[in-house]
mmCIF file of all heavy atoms in Angstrom:
data_model
loop_
_atom_site.group_PDB
_atom_site.id
_atom_site.type_symbol
_atom_site.label_atom_id
_atom_site.label_comp_id
_atom_site.label_asym_id
_atom_site.label_seq_id
_atom_site.Cartn_x
_atom_site.Cartn_y
_atom_site.Cartn_z
ATOM 1 N N HIS K 26 -15.190 12.001 -39.238
ATOM 2 C CA HIS K 26 -15.879 11.375 -38.106
ATOM 3 C C HIS K 26 -15.265 10.019 -37.738
ATOM 4 O O HIS K 26 -15.305 9.615 -36.578
ATOM 5 C CB HIS K 26 -17.369 11.229 -38.417
ATOM 6 C CG HIS K 26 -18.091 12.540 -38.398
ATOM 7 N ND1 HIS K 26 -19.245 12.783 -39.093
ATOM 8 C CD2 HIS K 26 -17.802 13.702 -37.755
ATOM 9 C CE1 HIS K 26 -19.646 14.019 -38.878
ATOM 10 N NE2 HIS K 26 -18.776 14.612 -38.085
ATOM 11 N N LEU K 51 -17.301 23.157 -30.004
ATOM 12 C CA LEU K 51 -17.684 24.582 -30.115
ATOM 13 C C LEU K 51 -18.397 24.908 -31.425
ATOM 14 O O LEU K 51 -18.944 25.998 -31.572
ATOM 15 C CB LEU K 51 -16.452 25.475 -29.960
ATOM 16 C CG LEU K 51 -15.793 25.494 -28.584
ATOM 17 C CD1 LEU K 51 -14.693 26.548 -28.532
ATOM 18 C CD2 LEU K 51 -16.798 25.730 -27.467
ATOM 19 N N PHE K 52 -18.364 23.996 -32.393
ATOM 20 C CA PHE K 52 -19.066 24.185 -33.673
ATOM 21 C C PHE K 52 -19.872 22.904 -33.887
ATOM 22 O O PHE K 52 -19.560 22.085 -34.749
ATOM 23 C CB PHE K 52 -18.069 24.409 -34.809
ATOM 24 C CG PHE K 52 -17.170 25.610 -34.599
ATOM 25 C CD1 PHE K 52 -16.020 25.516 -33.832
ATOM 26 C CD2 PHE K 52 -17.495 26.849 -35.155
ATOM 27 C CE1 PHE K 52 -15.197 26.618 -33.633
ATOM 28 C CE2 PHE K 52 -16.679 27.954 -34.964
ATOM 29 C CZ PHE K 52 -15.523 27.845 -34.208
ATOM 30 N N ALA K 53 -20.893 22.738 -33.068
ATOM 31 C CA ALA K 53 -21.458 21.405 -32.866
ATOM 32 C C ALA K 53 -22.329 20.913 -34.011
ATOM 33 O O ALA K 53 -22.485 19.715 -34.211
ATOM 34 C CB ALA K 53 -22.253 21.392 -31.558
ATOM 35 N N GLY K 54 -22.951 21.820 -34.769
ATOM 36 C CA GLY K 54 -23.860 21.374 -35.836
ATOM 37 C C GLY K 54 -25.195 20.896 -35.272
ATOM 38 O O GLY K 54 -25.557 21.193 -34.125
ATOM 39 N N GLU K 58 -26.391 14.689 -40.043
ATOM 40 C CA GLU K 58 -26.113 15.383 -41.304
ATOM 41 C C GLU K 58 -26.548 14.500 -42.467
ATOM 42 O O GLU K 58 -26.673 13.285 -42.318
ATOM 43 C CB GLU K 58 -24.604 15.675 -41.396
ATOM 44 C CG GLU K 58 -24.136 16.561 -40.251
ATOM 45 C CD GLU K 58 -22.626 16.627 -40.113
ATOM 46 O OE1 GLU K 58 -21.936 15.692 -40.571
ATOM 47 O OE2 GLU K 58 -22.150 17.609 -39.532
ATOM 48 N N GLY K 68 -23.562 13.457 -36.477
ATOM 49 C CA GLY K 68 -22.669 14.582 -36.255
ATOM 50 C C GLY K 68 -21.849 14.365 -34.993
ATOM 51 O O GLY K 68 -22.175 13.509 -34.159
ATOM 52 N N SER K 69 -20.800 15.140 -34.851
ATOM 53 C CA SER K 69 -19.849 14.914 -33.754
ATOM 54 C C SER K 69 -20.491 14.902 -32.359
ATOM 55 O O SER K 69 -20.148 14.046 -31.538
ATOM 56 C CB SER K 69 -18.707 15.923 -33.827
ATOM 57 O OG SER K 69 -19.194 17.239 -33.955
ATOM 58 N N GLU K 87 -23.346 26.130 -30.684
ATOM 59 C CA GLU K 87 -23.733 26.189 -32.100
ATOM 60 C C GLU K 87 -24.413 27.539 -32.345
ATOM 61 O O GLU K 87 -25.340 27.913 -31.636
ATOM 62 C CB GLU K 87 -24.662 25.014 -32.443
ATOM 63 C CG GLU K 87 -25.362 25.092 -33.777
ATOM 64 C CD GLU K 87 -24.433 25.211 -34.986
ATOM 65 O OE1 GLU K 87 -23.431 24.487 -35.067
ATOM 66 O OE2 GLU K 87 -24.724 26.070 -35.851
ATOM 67 N N LYS K 88 -23.927 28.235 -33.362
ATOM 68 C CA LYS K 88 -24.407 29.596 -33.608
ATOM 69 C C LYS K 88 -25.749 29.629 -34.352
ATOM 70 O O LYS K 88 -26.597 30.488 -34.103
ATOM 71 C CB LYS K 88 -23.343 30.325 -34.435
ATOM 72 C CG LYS K 88 -23.526 31.811 -34.524
ATOM 73 C CD LYS K 88 -22.316 32.388 -35.225
ATOM 74 C CE LYS K 88 -22.478 33.870 -35.484
ATOM 75 N NZ LYS K 88 -21.329 34.389 -36.230
ATOM 76 N N ASP K 89 -25.935 28.686 -35.255
ATOM 77 C CA ASP K 89 -27.145 28.707 -36.093
ATOM 78 C C ASP K 89 -28.356 28.208 -35.291
ATOM 79 O O ASP K 89 -28.327 27.105 -34.725
ATOM 80 C CB ASP K 89 -26.906 27.806 -37.312
ATOM 81 C CG ASP K 89 -28.127 27.727 -38.199
ATOM 82 O OD1 ASP K 89 -28.260 28.585 -39.075
ATOM 83 O OD2 ASP K 89 -28.962 26.809 -37.986
ATOM 84 N N ASN K 92 -30.024 24.711 -36.419
ATOM 85 C CA ASN K 92 -29.140 23.580 -36.049
ATOM 86 C C ASN K 92 -29.171 23.366 -34.534
ATOM 87 O O ASN K 92 -29.238 22.232 -34.048
ATOM 88 C CB ASN K 92 -27.683 23.863 -36.455
ATOM 89 C CG ASN K 92 -27.469 23.766 -37.956
ATOM 90 O OD1 ASN K 92 -28.349 23.324 -38.682
ATOM 91 N ND2 ASN K 92 -26.297 24.178 -38.407
ATOM 92 N N ASP K 114 -24.629 30.364 -29.524
ATOM 93 C CA ASP K 114 -23.855 31.604 -29.638
ATOM 94 C C ASP K 114 -22.592 31.347 -30.464
ATOM 95 O O ASP K 114 -22.324 30.219 -30.881
ATOM 96 C CB ASP K 114 -23.492 32.109 -28.230
ATOM 97 C CG ASP K 114 -23.195 33.611 -28.206
ATOM 98 O OD1 ASP K 114 -23.069 34.220 -29.288
ATOM 99 O OD2 ASP K 114 -23.066 34.169 -27.102
ATOM 100 N N ASP K 115 -21.807 32.390 -30.615
ATOM 101 C CA ASP K 115 -20.542 32.304 -31.334
ATOM 102 C C ASP K 115 -19.508 31.555 -30.470
ATOM 103 O O ASP K 115 -19.343 31.863 -29.284
ATOM 104 C CB ASP K 115 -20.051 33.734 -31.622
ATOM 105 C CG ASP K 115 -18.832 33.724 -32.505
ATOM 106 O OD1 ASP K 115 -17.772 33.205 -32.082
ATOM 107 O OD2 ASP K 115 -18.928 34.244 -33.625
ATOM 108 N N ALA K 116 -18.820 30.595 -31.097
ATOM 109 C CA ALA K 116 -17.852 29.766 -30.373
ATOM 110 C C ALA K 116 -16.786 30.603 -29.668
ATOM 111 O O ALA K 116 -16.367 30.291 -28.556
ATOM 112 C CB ALA K 116 -17.180 28.814 -31.350
ATOM 113 N N PHE K 137 -13.344 19.319 -29.686
ATOM 114 C CA PHE K 137 -13.369 19.215 -31.147
ATOM 115 C C PHE K 137 -13.730 20.597 -31.680
ATOM 116 O O PHE K 137 -14.783 21.142 -31.337
ATOM 117 C CB PHE K 137 -14.403 18.164 -31.571
ATOM 118 C CG PHE K 137 -14.439 17.888 -33.048
ATOM 119 C CD1 PHE K 137 -13.273 17.814 -33.800
ATOM 120 C CD2 PHE K 137 -15.644 17.664 -33.691
ATOM 121 C CE1 PHE K 137 -13.303 17.535 -35.162
ATOM 122 C CE2 PHE K 137 -15.696 17.383 -35.053
ATOM 123 C CZ PHE K 137 -14.521 17.320 -35.787
ATOM 124 N N ASP K 139 -14.343 22.517 -34.993
ATOM 125 C CA ASP K 139 -14.621 22.072 -36.361
ATOM 126 C C ASP K 139 -15.536 23.052 -37.113
ATOM 127 O O ASP K 139 -16.672 22.714 -37.430
ATOM 128 C CB ASP K 139 -15.284 20.672 -36.251
ATOM 129 C CG ASP K 139 -15.697 20.092 -37.584
ATOM 130 O OD1 ASP K 139 -14.946 20.264 -38.560
ATOM 131 O OD2 ASP K 139 -16.766 19.459 -37.642
ATOM 132 N N PHE K 141 -16.504 25.716 -40.427
ATOM 133 C CA PHE K 141 -16.463 25.541 -41.881
ATOM 134 C C PHE K 141 -15.164 26.094 -42.457
ATOM 135 O O PHE K 141 -14.644 25.601 -43.440
ATOM 136 C CB PHE K 141 -17.608 26.299 -42.551
ATOM 137 C CG PHE K 141 -18.961 25.696 -42.324
ATOM 138 C CD1 PHE K 141 -20.024 26.483 -41.885
ATOM 139 C CD2 PHE K 141 -19.187 24.359 -42.568
ATOM 140 C CE1 PHE K 141 -21.276 25.937 -41.705
ATOM 141 C CE2 PHE K 141 -20.441 23.797 -42.385
ATOM 142 C CZ PHE K 141 -21.485 24.605 -41.949
HETATM 143 C C1 SAM L 1 -18.568 21.839 -40.093
HETATM 144 S S1 SAM L 1 -20.011 22.159 -39.204
HETATM 145 C C2 SAM L 1 -19.769 21.251 -37.732
HETATM 146 C C3 SAM L 1 -20.135 19.861 -37.801
HETATM 147 C C4 SAM L 1 -19.963 19.077 -36.533
HETATM 148 N N1 SAM L 1 -18.765 19.435 -35.777
HETATM 149 C C5 SAM L 1 -19.873 17.627 -36.910
HETATM 150 O O1 SAM L 1 -18.772 17.114 -37.103
HETATM 151 O O2 SAM L 1 -20.934 17.014 -37.047
HETATM 152 C C6 SAM L 1 -19.757 23.768 -38.568
HETATM 153 C C7 SAM L 1 -20.888 24.241 -37.663
HETATM 154 O O3 SAM L 1 -20.445 25.431 -36.998
HETATM 155 C C8 SAM L 1 -21.499 26.371 -36.965
HETATM 156 N N2 SAM L 1 -20.847 27.673 -36.840
HETATM 157 C C9 SAM L 1 -20.308 28.445 -37.811
HETATM 158 N N3 SAM L 1 -19.714 29.535 -37.281
HETATM 159 C C10 SAM L 1 -19.855 29.421 -35.935
HETATM 160 C C11 SAM L 1 -19.421 30.199 -34.847
HETATM 161 N N4 SAM L 1 -18.732 31.318 -35.032
HETATM 162 N N5 SAM L 1 -19.721 29.780 -33.605
HETATM 163 C C12 SAM L 1 -20.417 28.630 -33.403
HETATM 164 N N6 SAM L 1 -20.864 27.847 -34.401
HETATM 165 C C13 SAM L 1 -20.588 28.240 -35.651
HETATM 166 C C14 SAM L 1 -22.265 26.146 -38.249
HETATM 167 O O4 SAM L 1 -23.597 26.583 -38.125
HETATM 168 C C15 SAM L 1 -22.147 24.630 -38.413
HETATM 169 O O5 SAM L 1 -23.239 23.974 -37.815
#
Side-chain angles (χ1 to χ4, degrees):
H26 288 155
L51 293 187
F52 301 84
E58 300 167 336
S69 50
E87 168 58 45
K88 193 173 174 183
D89 178 88
N92 287 351
D114 203 349
D115 187 296
F137 185 40
D139 177 39
F141 289 130

